Amino acid sequence: MELNMAKTVLTYGTFDLFHIGHLNILKRLKEKGDRLIVGVSTDEFNAVKGKKPIVPFEQRIEIVRAIKYVDEAIPENNWEQKRLDIAKYGVNVFGIGEDWKGKFDDLGNEVEVVYLPRTSGISTTELKRVLSAFDERHVAKLKDTLDSLSQIVKELS
Ligand code: C2G
């Protein structure tokens, strides 16, 4: 296949605590073209987005690079780089999950913009919530509560 025929798809994400939702959308985005380029948000840019990933950037981009649907992974440093990346990589399709619906329509004058359904029942936020139940402070508080409960039981018996 000649390179200029190849259809290039571009997306961005944090991909923290990589899960099946991330895998599904990368698989579906790859089905939209021949080459998939993924921008992985740096830790600094996530701070701008008000996010604090658990997994550091270097590990998140290495994981994304290892996904068989991904042909290239690049750092995402700011909101503005999308148009530059579209020109730099000869992008034909910009795709992202429907939680961003309408947010990138402005790119539609250069590329096809697609919003894909998210995978329900899984999110990094939910994983973080579950994990937080196991963090020390939480366990310590739990222990204190149990101690005072057993004290009360002792006094009542
Ligand atoms: N996603 C999904 N299903 C889920 C969770 C996430 O399809 N259950 C998709 C999101 O819609 C997104 C991609 O997985 O397309 C990555 O999600 P995040 O890591 O949460 O990405 P986000 O921080 O929203 O970054 O410039 C755009 C931003 O960088 C997007």
Side-chain angles (χ1 to χ4, degrees), residues 35-152:
R35 180 171 71 137
L36 175 60
I37 299 176
V38 181
V40 178
S41 317
T42 61
D43 297 333
E44 296 71 23
F45 180 45
N46 267 303
V48 173
K49 290 198 275 180
K51 283 190 165 188
K52 188 161 182 351
I54 289 187
V55 181
F57 168 72
E58 289 311 325
Q59 296 176 22
R60 289 184 282 110
I61 197 165
E62 196 174 337
I63 292 165
V64 169
R65 276 200 182 106
I67 302 293
K68 67 178 179 184
Y69 309 117
V70 176
D71 298 284
E72 198 162 344
I74 58 175
E76 182 187 25
N77 298 298
N78 54 61
W79 294 112
E80 298 71 34
Q81 75 177 68
K82 291 182 176 68
R83 284 189 187 280
L84 300 170
D85 292 341
I86 286 169
K88 182 174 175 186
Y89 298 100
V91 172
N92 307 97
V93 180
F94 172 84
I96 201 160
E98 66 198 354
D99 46 323
W100 290 91
K101 197 152 186 69
K103 297 280 187 326
F104 302 113
D105 289 355
D106 61 312
L107 300 174
N109 63 346
E110 291 186 53
V111 292
E112 181 192 348
V113 175
V114 294
Y115 301 100
L116 300 179
R118 283 168 58 91
T119 301
S120 58
I122 182 76
S123 75
T124 302
T125 311
E126 179 57 20
L127 289 174
K128 282 183 176 175
R129 202 185 58 71
V130 172
L131 283 173
S132 73
F134 298 99
D135 89 7
E136 271 154 40
R137 275 160 301 137
H138 205 95
V139 173
K141 228 167 77 210
L142 210 56
K143 191 178 169 310
D144 293 351
T145 314
L146 284 174
D147 286 350
S148 37
L149 267 178
S150 59
Q151 192 53 38
I152 294 166

